Amino acid sequence: KQWYQRRVRGSFQHLPFGNATALIYTSPIFACILGRVILKEKLTLPHIIATVLGITGIVLISKPSFIFTATTDSIPWYHYLIPILGAICMASSYICQRRIGKRANKIVISFFMCIAIDIASLLFQTVSGESYVDPGCLVPRVLLVTSGLMSVAGILCVNIGLHYENASTVALMRNLDTVLAFLLQVLLFGEKADVLSLVGTGLIVTGTVLLTLSRMLGMKCGVEL
């Protein structure tokens, strides 16, 4: 058990942020594959182009060390399995919600998802041996509550989107998370925007706009592009 706790804790604490970001946002790839296999969703050319542009853009913004660093880091390979597993779980969640479709109310789906998150968090905390730490003052508590409320709002928006769009399309739209986070870091925290980050942002936005326009044109013409 101690060996397992050290591996899980190390996977989250010692994996570079750029590496984790690049791997966790591979979820559109798994969503496309699972959507095609399980839901028989059509994999179109705009989806493929948007996926390639999105993943490339995320890599340019996050700059993972296994691509942008010449030297090989000493991080064990199993630490990289955590964000990849997270990407697969995220894609599987989209598939499940899409499978439910309109047979359940969006609010009900969001409610049960929040319950599942609470239960999973408690289980993970128990297994990993992590103890509860009080933030200690008002500001962190307010920020934590605000973060939770925004997460619930995000879950609801995703559920609404999955009522009307394919799982792969919704997963690709989530790539905008990286763009918004990057812009907020520049605006709120004064971080400098380098050329690669700007190019990555442009690629993600281009892929998203391309996919959106193709879907709008397809709906207007009565075909799926």
Side-chain angles (χ1 to χ4, degrees), residues 5 17 31 35 46 51 54 56 66 92 95 97 108 129 134 137 145 151 161 170 181 190-191 203:
Q5 292 177 355
F17 176 76
T51 300
T56 304
F66 54 77
S92 301
I95 298 300
Q97 295 175 65
V108 174
D134 193 341
C137 57
V145 172
S151 298
V170 175
E191 295 191 11
L203 290 177

Side-chain angles (χ1 to χ4, degrees), residues 48-181:
I48 298 176
I49 296 176
T51 300
V52 173
L53 291 177
I55 298 300
T56 304
I58 289 170
V59 168
L60 292 178
I61 293 176
S62 59
K63 301 177 186 63
S65 62
F66 54 77
I67 294 179
F68 287 88
T69 303
T71 58
T72 303
D73 53 39
S74 59
I75 299 175
W77 61 270
Y78 47 78
H79 285 173
Y80 290 92
L81 295 180
I82 300 297
I84 293 176
L85 180 60
I88 296 175
C89 291
M90 189 180 300
S92 301
S93 174
Y94 296 151
I95 298 300
C96 292
Q97 295 175 65
R98 183 64 178 170
R99 186 71 175 180
I100 294 174
K102 298 182 179 180
R103 287 176 287 184
N105 185 274
K106 297 179 286 292
I107 303 296
V108 174
I109 297 176
S110 301
F111 175 76
F112 278 100
M113 288 185 65
C114 291
I115 292 179
I117 292 173
D118 291 336
I119 296 175
S121 299
L122 291 174
L123 290 176
F124 178 79
Q125 183 177 1
T126 301
V127 173
S128 63
E130 299 287 345
S131 58
Y132 173 76
V133 178
D134 193 341
C137 57
L138 180 60
V139 175
R141 292 173 181 173
V142 172
L143 292 176
L144 286 173
V145 172
T146 303
S147 175
L149 293 175
M150 292 298 101
S151 298
V152 172
I155 290 174
L156 180 59
C157 290
V158 170
N159 289 336
I160 294 174
L162 287 168
H163 269 68
Y164 303 102
E165 274 295 344
N166 295 336
S168 57
T169 302
V170 175
L172 287 169
M173 293 298 174
R174 288 296 304 273
N175 286 340
L176 290 175
D177 288 358
T178 308
V179 175
L180 295 175

